[in-house]
Amino acid sequence: DPLANNYNSAATQDDGSCDYTINGCTDSTASNYNSAATINDGSCVYCIYGCLDNFALNYDSTATCSDSSCSYSVYISEYGEGSGYNKYIEIYNGTGQPVDLSNYELWKITNGGSWPEQSLSLSGTIAHDDVFIVCHSSSSVNPSISGVADITWSQASWTGDDAVGLAKNNPTLGSNFVLIDVVGEDGSDPGNGWDVAGTVDATKDHTLVRKCN
């Protein structure tokens, strides 16, 4: 029988020795369960469920199987580019847990260039469903902005062609900061600004608010 494990193409008479056993894991609760296996060969592997993505806040280095629980980072929820020094960035935490901002930096590129030309180390904690606001340090900033700001930064003076990014420290990658969100991009100067959602030069003289989805 050519379907048998010990099929002999030279045989001319069946001697009843055909072997149809399939070695493998026969336990359906194991991660490597083999429904075709007929003999358990001791190879069964059992899951340790958790978040497998090392960019997630709740990454579990001991996990071997995903439980879809990964909770990701904060992001830029609002960008303001107003007159004078009326500029700000709002960072939102929707992760479901408090986030330590000491693992984050705000980056800036002026008139084209490479990340980061200027950086601001953040600190403190954002509670779930709360925001953290960075604005310029000038005394001329509108009180409606400065009154709610959590921190000021002398480099919060972007115009439409200055890219602003949020970077996160990832210790699992050797404690390197990597961009996780950005308004604009690195490279050549775009001119007046970048187009957003069909609006030409939307990053200049506008307030951009992230859609909930």
Side-chain angles (χ1 to χ4, degrees):
D1 185 351
L3 298 179
N5 295 327
N6 60 333
Y7 166 64
N8 183 355
S9 61
T12 58
Q13 182 172 337
D14 196 317
D15 62 359
S17 66
C18 290
D19 176 19
Y20 298 97
T21 60
I22 298 175
N23 294 322
C25 175
T26 59
D27 187 345
S28 61
T29 64
S31 60
N32 62 332
Y33 167 62
N34 183 356
S35 60
T38 58
I39 293 181
N40 195 328
D41 60 2
S43 66
C44 292
V45 176
Y46 296 91
C47 281
I48 299 175
Y49 287 98
C51 174
L52 300 180
D53 188 344
N54 61 8
F55 278 96
L57 292 172
N58 60 331
Y59 167 64
D60 185 353
S61 61
T62 66
T64 58
C65 295
S66 174
D67 62 358
S68 301
S69 68
C70 289
S71 177
Y72 290 92
S73 193
V74 298
Y75 59 85
I76 298 171
S77 52
E78 192 163 315
Y79 158 95
E81 203 287 281
S83 62
Y85 289 111
N86 293 317
K87 331 282 188 176
Y88 66 91
I89 283 287
E90 177 188 87
I91 301 168
Y92 172 68
N93 175 18
T95 65
Q97 59 187 305
V99 172
D100 179 6
L101 285 176
S102 63
N103 290 316
Y104 295 84
E105 291 182 349
L106 202 60
W107 289 0
K108 177 188 170 187
I109 296 174
T110 303
N111 302 330
S114 301
W115 297 110
E117 290 181 350
Q118 294 90 26
S119 63
L120 172 69
S121 297
L122 303 180
S123 61
T125 301
I126 309 183
H128 168 63
D129 206 28
D130 201 358
V131 296
F132 186 89
I133 298 174
V134 180
C135 76
H136 198 276
S137 55
S138 172
S139 60
S140 65
V141 175
N142 190 301
S144 65
I145 299 173
S146 60
V148 296
D150 294 280
I151 191 172
T152 61
W153 186 28
S154 62
Q155 291 298 324
S157 56
W158 42 80
T159 55
D161 59 348
D162 301 334
V164 184
L166 180 64
K168 181 176 184 288
N169 181 23
N170 192 331
T172 62
L173 297 180
S175 296
N176 293 318
F177 280 88
V178 293
L179 276 174
I180 58 171
D181 199 9
V182 66
V183 177
E185 58 187 16
D186 59 349
S188 58
D189 190 331
N192 290 324
W194 286 273
D195 300 347
V196 180
T199 298
V200 176
D201 296 338
T203 53
K204 179 177 176 58
D205 301 327
H206 286 95
T207 296
L208 307 179
V209 182
R210 267 272 166 73
K211 293 182 178 179
C212 291
N213 59 357

